[in-house]
Amino acid sequence: GRCEIYLQMKNSVGLIYGATSFSSAVLHNIFITYYVILYMSVYQMSDSWFYVAESIFLIWNSVNDPLFGWWLNKGPQDLSSRLFRLEQGATCWVISFLFLFLFPLELLPNWFVPVHFTLSLLLYDSGLSYVLLIHGSLLADLTVETENRAHLNKYNAILAVLGSGSVALLQLFWSKENLFIFRISISFSAVAALAGFLVTSRNLASSVRAAEGALTKSLSTTSSEPIPLKQFIKELLRHKNFWVFTIVNLIQVFNCHFNSNFLAYYLEAATTGILWVNVGSTIQGLLLAIASTSPHLLVISLEPLLSKGVSLYQLITGLLLTKLFLGLAFGGTLFFFSSESVWGMIAAITFLLANKIFTEALCRHGGLVLADLIDEDYHLAQR
């Protein structure tokens, strides 16, 4: 039931498929850069409430992927149905993004801030997980060849670089004292993201049909009868590769989350400590732009290796070893310089940026691994 439509219209399909990565980059880079500093510095939420909300968020983040996977498996498996669910999920994701940033919390009692923060995180992560899960499953539908998937992943990275530029633009309008212009910028970013999602959901099927007239019929043959949640969980528990992926991915997601939560916060303190305040804002914007775009540029630069005989898993192992070396190098640096000295701050900024770049590059290859797992599950469970 899988058709190699990629070979026939790889450029148009790649651009349309990658439009969702553009939108995801717009939303998520803004989210990870500004949500902590907004709620902690502007709305003055307490540290204890922040930790409680983050704990609830991380628990839900670890549960919702298999839960949404089971839910999506109950429905039709043809391409049109997947794209319809993608559009629904993307719309909810954009709404949750606006709910997080535009709600006038400065006009409400202080006790409402942590309640709204927790609810917003849960809604946002639900939309993100749902959309990215569907987007990853589309990769398995479009092609079964690793080299072709890597090429589609390169389109994802190219368009994600463009979407990541939203962070640098918003830095121009960011001000703790006046959120009005920042919120207008947030609204425009949300509209741009929704437009990108619609490009994928409303054009991918027609682009695919132009290459393969009977694609919808052939894809529909892969559907299977819904299975109970209990049986689905039992099957996953016996899926060794799934658990290896889950554990490694959990560590990477935690690492990504830590980097993203505190990078902007630390940069603000560190750059104003090293430089004059009026220069610090410019440096922050530049560093945030580097942090947002470099992971995708790294993915683009590594893509040719997959077509030259390097396996996906050798590439992932290399990235993991690079991260280990960065951690050891930073730890060694702290033996020579105080963390509060200029050189210590420069070393910390360099480590945070490099760690974020390599960690997110790993996460960007997660879709390829997920597509392989879907292939394996297709052969094992015929669904």
Side-chain angles (χ1 to χ4, degrees):
R2 312 282 181 86
C3 297
E4 290 298 313
I5 56 88
Y6 163 83
L7 294 175
Q8 300 178 46
M9 296 185 70
K10 63 179 182 179
N11 291 329
S12 62
V13 171
L15 288 171
I16 294 170
Y17 176 74
T20 289
S21 291
F22 165 81
S23 300
S24 301
V26 170
L27 296 181
H28 199 55
N29 279 288
I30 292 173
F31 168 77
I32 61 180
T33 302
Y34 292 106
Y35 89 98
V36 174
I37 197 169
L38 177 67
Y39 277 82
M40 299 295 285
S41 296
V42 178
Y43 298 143
Q44 299 295 313
M45 188 172 66
S46 67
D47 291 348
S48 57
W49 272 115
F50 175 78
Y51 296 137
V52 169
E54 284 289 309
S55 299
I56 296 172
F57 163 73
L58 290 173
I59 292 171
W60 173 239
N61 179 267
S62 63
V63 169
N64 60 27
D65 281 338
L67 185 62
F68 288 154
W70 168 76
W71 175 259
L72 291 169
N73 189 64
K74 292 177 63 177
Q77 301 301 305
D78 59 282
L79 182 63
S80 296
S81 297
R82 288 192 196 276
L83 293 174
F84 178 69
R85 292 196 291 267
L86 176 69
E87 184 171 321
Q88 287 181 317
T91 302
C92 293
W93 187 9
V94 171
I95 292 172
S96 69
F97 173 80
L98 294 173
F99 183 69
L100 175 73
F101 284 105
L102 299 189
F103 210 85
L105 292 175
E106 64 272 18
L107 304 178
L108 297 172
N110 291 337
W111 63 265
F112 190 76
V113 173
V115 175
H116 179 269
F117 180 70
T118 305
L119 179 61
S120 296
L121 288 183
L122 296 178
L123 292 174
Y124 178 88
D125 189 62
S126 298
L128 180 149
S129 297
Y130 189 79
V131 169
L132 296 188
L133 195 60
I134 296 173
H135 193 233
S137 66
L138 288 174
L139 185 62
D141 284 337
L142 294 175
T143 177
V144 296
E145 298 293 331
T146 299
E147 183 179 340
N148 296 341
R149 286 175 176 174
H151 198 76
L152 285 173
N153 202 44
K154 185 177 75 172
Y155 275 99
N156 280 342
I158 291 171
L159 289 166
V161 169
L162 298 177
S164 300
S166 59
V167 172
L169 289 175
L170 255 72
Q171 186 66 25
L172 300 175
F173 307 110
W174 166 252
S175 172
K176 294 180 184 179
E177 290 73 30
N178 185 2
L179 295 176
F180 179 73
I181 298 178
F182 176 74
R183 284 172 171 165
I184 291 177
S185 305
I186 287 286
S187 301
F188 278 112
S189 299
V191 171
L194 182 60
F197 287 129
L198 294 178
V199 166
T200 298
S201 66
R202 300 193 177 184
N203 294 282
L204 186 60
S206 60
S207 180
V208 162
R209 291 191 189 101
E212 177 66 55
L215 178 64
T216 303
K217 180 179 178 181
S218 65
L219 280 176
S220 65
T221 61
T222 65
S223 61
S224 58
E225 291 297 321
I227 62 173
L229 179 60
K230 185 177 180 180
Q231 180 184 341
F232 181 73
I233 293 174
K234 284 183 177 180
E235 291 180 0
L236 286 182
L237 289 174
R238 295 194 296 266
H239 203 320
K240 178 183 175 182
N241 289 337
F242 169 79
W243 281 107
V244 172
F245 172 76
T246 299
I247 293 170
V248 174
N249 190 60
L250 178 64
I251 296 170
Q252 298 312 307
V253 168
F254 174 80
N255 200 180
C256 278
H257 199 62
F258 177 83
N259 287 334
S260 302
N261 275 354
F262 299 106
L263 181 62
Y265 215 57
Y266 184 81
L267 286 180
E268 182 179 15
T271 52
T272 53
I274 298 172
L275 305 166
W276 293 284
V277 175
N278 63 332
V279 178
S281 178
T282 304
I283 298 297
Q284 287 175 53
L286 176 62
L287 293 176
L288 289 174
I290 292 172
S292 301
T293 59
S294 294
H296 307 295
L297 294 174
L298 181 58
V299 170
I300 295 169
S301 65
L302 292 175
E303 188 269 339
L305 294 177
L306 295 175
S307 61
K308 293 180 179 179
V310 178
S311 75
L312 172 62
Y313 301 97
Q314 287 175 328
L315 186 62
I316 289 173
T317 301
L319 291 171
L320 287 169
L321 291 175
T322 302
K323 283 187 59 182
L324 176 62
F325 172 77
L326 287 171
L328 294 174
F330 177 62
T333 302
L334 293 182
F335 279 106
F336 299 98
F337 303 105
S338 166
S339 59
E340 297 180 357
S341 67
V342 171
W343 287 109
M345 287 184 177
I346 291 174
I349 291 173
T350 303
F351 170 73
L352 285 173
L353 287 173
N355 190 44
K356 185 176 189 296
I357 290 167
F358 283 97
T359 301
E360 293 197 9
L362 272 167
C363 293
R364 299 290 81 79
H365 286 93
L368 301 178
V369 180
L370 182 62
D372 284 349
L373 288 173
I374 291 172
D375 289 341
E376 185 177 22
D377 185 70
Y378 172 74
H379 290 291
L380 292 175
Q382 293 298 308
R383 58 168 176 259

